[in-house]
Amino acid sequence: MVRILNIYPEGEGYIVYLLLKSITADNTLNVCIRYIDRPIFPNEGKNIALIPQVVENISSLLRLAENIQIFSENCSGLKNCKTIQGDYILSTLKELLKDFDPKLVESVENFQFKVKTFRKELLEKFSFYIPLLIGKRESVVYSWKYYLGLRGIPSVSLLYPRDLDLLKEVIFNPAFGDKLFPLLLGRLPNEVNELLKSEGFVPYQLEIEGKNNLDSELQLIFLAKEVSSKIRKLI
């Protein structure tokens, strides 16, 4: 029997949601994950709200909701709310995975971010160019866009291979030629590199070899947090 998870996410909760999607695809878990775009839940399936910080207007809606499990850093009187301590992404992911596979929980518990330094050139690029984020994992691409956005850095994000035609439209447009900074997130086929170079771009590759797919995703996500924290806030 397929389990159904209806998930309403905000902020880093959306990153957790995307990681769950990746884990489900990689491990063929017997679960169907449904994205809910507002905190109004269907009757079928288990209802989950991933909200790091619950604000008042959302809190009032959640108080009226039935049969919902909330994961937040500030539960403040909400029923069925798990208070998350420590890193929100790792702690929430661990709690959600307990229902599926102990090995996955262990993988999250043992995660260690191993990138201690990165080239200063990367930060300098953000001062002059718009990052063109390209990757195969939606959680990674979204995380970079999200954390850079918190620092006032706008970006363009594309998924390979889904957005390959869109990538061609962007880089073939002369209006973008001197404004974009292609940032390759993870391992990508050589055709992406060659396509960018053929139009005069010099891609910046960020690839971290992880223990498995989940570890690699988490490494790149936490690298986004680390890099973004070093950028002088522009907003």
Side-chain angles (χ1 to χ4, degrees), residues 6-20 23 41 47-55 58 62 68-75 78 80-97 108-109 111 142-143 146-147 150 214 218 221-222 225:
N6 305 305
I7 299 179
Y8 171 75
E10 290 185 359
E12 288 188 317
Y14 191 75
I15 297 173
V16 176
Y17 158 74
L18 293 175
L19 281 165
L20 281 174
I23 292 168
F41 296 88
N47 298 322
I48 297 172
L50 305 179
I51 312 175
Q53 297 295 324
V54 180
V55 296
I58 295 295
L62 295 176
I68 176 175
Q69 177 67 60
I70 305 164
F71 295 85
S72 180
E73 295 172 342
N74 62 323
C75 287
L78 289 171
N80 301 320
C81 184
K82 172 73 175 179
T83 301
I84 298 299
Q85 297 178 340
D87 181 82
Y88 184 85
I89 293 174
L90 292 177
S91 299
T92 305
L93 191 60
K94 183 178 68 174
E95 290 295 327
L96 291 170
L97 289 174
V108 175
E109 288 179 332
F111 172 76
Y142 174 83
S143 296
Y146 173 74
Y147 290 119
L150 292 180
L214 176 57
L218 289 172
I221 288 169
F222 278 78
K225 292 180 70 171

Side-chain angles (χ1 to χ4, degrees), residues 131-138 140-142 144-145 155-164 166-168 170-171 180-189 191-193 195-197 201-207 220:
L132 175 60
L133 309 172
I134 308 169
K136 294 173 69 175
R137 295 280 175 163
E138 190 175 2
V140 172
V141 174
Y142 174 83
W144 277 84
K145 187 175 184 66
S155 61
V156 179
S157 58
L158 300 173
L159 280 178
Y160 178 90
R162 187 193 70 184
D163 298 329
L164 183 58
L166 183 56
L167 172 62
K168 294 177 182 178
V170 171
I171 65 174
L180 294 176
F181 160 44
L183 189 57
L184 307 186
L185 304 171
R187 187 175 300 166
L188 288 164
E191 70 169 316
V192 176
N193 214 350
L195 179 62
L196 290 165
K197 288 181 177 179
F201 292 97
V202 180
Y204 193 104
Q205 178 80 43
L206 286 174
E207 184 179 336
L220 285 167

Side-chain angles (χ1 to χ4, degrees), residues 27-44:
N27 296 275
T28 60
L29 298 178
N30 199 27
V31 59
C32 173
I33 298 176
R34 292 177 177 172
Y35 170 73
I36 306 297
D37 63 356
R38 53 184 178 163
I40 300 176
F41 296 88
N43 294 323
E44 182 186 23

